[in-house]
Amino acid sequence: QSALTQPRSVSGSPGQSVTLSCTGTGSDVGGYNYVSWYQQHPGKAPKVMIFAVSKRPSGVPDRFSGSKSGITASLTISGLQAEDEADYYCCSYAGSFWVFGGGTKLTVL
Amino acid sequence: QITLKESGPTLVKPTQTLTLTCTFSGFSLTTTGVAVGWIRQPPGKALEWLALIFWDDDKRYTPSLRSRLTITKDTSKNQVVLTMTNMDPLDTATYYCAHKPIQGNWFDPWGQGTLVAVSS
């Protein structure tokens, strides 16, 4: 199995919106509505920001939203804040196992 | 409150077998739908999903490492154990365990992770 494809880096200014993409195949992203997104700050464990494509856990700001079209999932962060600077990983269920993306480093300019 | 904590050696030699333990609280691995998974992250690199065990002892492995991984649980101790055979320097990574909720295919929360180095 191959890792899901994410852009290596994305940047935006405070207050702007950014969209992170995550491309898989019909056997993972395209086959199930079980894409999740994780935020990881340096030296910390990942934290789920979005699950089941577009659901937000309690405590996650509504600036974070998720969507999916075909084999590509997206995480949109609106009203970018300095604390959003982190690595973001997508993850998809793939039928009998799970697969992560290569991660995107989000820089807040 | 659900918490998980990984434990095990910080250094193993090439060809040795790694044994990691995930000790958790706040949930039971006898509850239908619950599972615990392992994910690793080499220094400066991406997350890689490794294995997962369900409440009913159903086990899942990443295809590329299936032959080297074994996951087991001890519900009386609230522990999940991951073993990885024939360790290689490329297996140097932070190893995380994480809770998979009922009726969900995501991981929340995660343990703090444990760094394992493979070197002679």
Side-chain angles (χ1 to χ4, degrees):
Chain A
Q1 82 291 0
S2 298
L4 307 177
T5 300
Q6 297 183 248
R8 295 203 63 153
S9 64
V10 167
S11 62
S13 299
Q16 287 186 332
S17 292
V18 293
T19 296
L20 284 60
S21 63
C22 170
T23 302
T25 69
S27 297
D28 39 61
V29 175
Y32 305 91
N33 287 323
Y34 285 124
V35 175
S36 49
W37 289 88
Y38 301 85
Q39 178 192 65
Q40 186 181 35
H41 287 111
K44 300 295 187 183
K47 171 189 172 186
V48 66
M49 304 302 282
I50 293 289
F51 64 91
V53 175
S54 59
K55 295 181 169 55
R56 259 180 299 107
S58 60
V60 172
D62 59 6
R63 303 184 294 103
F64 291 83
S65 62
S67 63
K68 189 186 86 166
S69 178
I71 62 171
T72 299
S74 299
L75 173 71
T76 298
I77 308 172
S78 58
L80 209 54
Q81 299 182 4
E83 66 244 36
D84 299 333
E85 183 163 297
D87 293 325
Y88 290 84
Y89 294 92
C90 61
C91 177
S92 177
Y93 180 63
S96 61
F97 58 93
W98 283 256
V99 60
F100 280 90
T104 295
K105 180 176 181 58
L106 172 62
T107 301
V108 180
L109 302 170
Chain B
Q1 180 193 5
I2 292 174
T3 65
L4 306 96
K5 188 173 184 179
E6 306 84 353
S7 60
T10 57
L11 179 65
V12 298
K13 295 184 185 328
T15 76
Q16 285 187 335
T17 294
L18 171 68
T19 299
L20 293 172
T21 300
C22 175
T23 303
F24 57 85
S25 64
F27 68 96
S28 172
L29 246 185
T30 61
T31 302
T32 300
V34 172
V36 171
W38 284 94
I39 302 102
R40 71 177 178 179
Q41 184 174 38
K45 296 190 177 181
L47 299 170
E48 179 182 21
W49 185 85
L50 298 177
L52 179 139
I53 188 164
F54 284 92
W55 86 102
D56 61 357
D57 213 39
D58 182 10
K59 302 167 185 178
R60 310 290 179 87
Y61 299 100
T62 187
S64 61
L65 293 170
R66 177 185 297 273
S67 63
R68 298 176 53 205
L69 295 172
T70 302
I71 189 169
T72 59
K73 62 181 173 66
D74 185 333
T75 53
S76 66
K77 294 182 179 179
N78 279 354
Q79 291 180 334
V80 171
V81 174
L82 181 74
T83 61
M84 180 180 290
T85 62
N86 194 24
M87 292 292 284
D88 181 272
L90 290 175
D91 295 313
T92 293
T94 295
Y95 288 76
Y96 296 97
C97 62
H99 166 261
K100 189 202 81 66
I102 301 168
Q103 296 181 337
N105 281 312
W106 58 90
F107 300 98
D108 177 51
W110 296 48
Q112 64 189 26
T114 185
L115 178 59
V116 179
V118 184
S119 174
S120 54

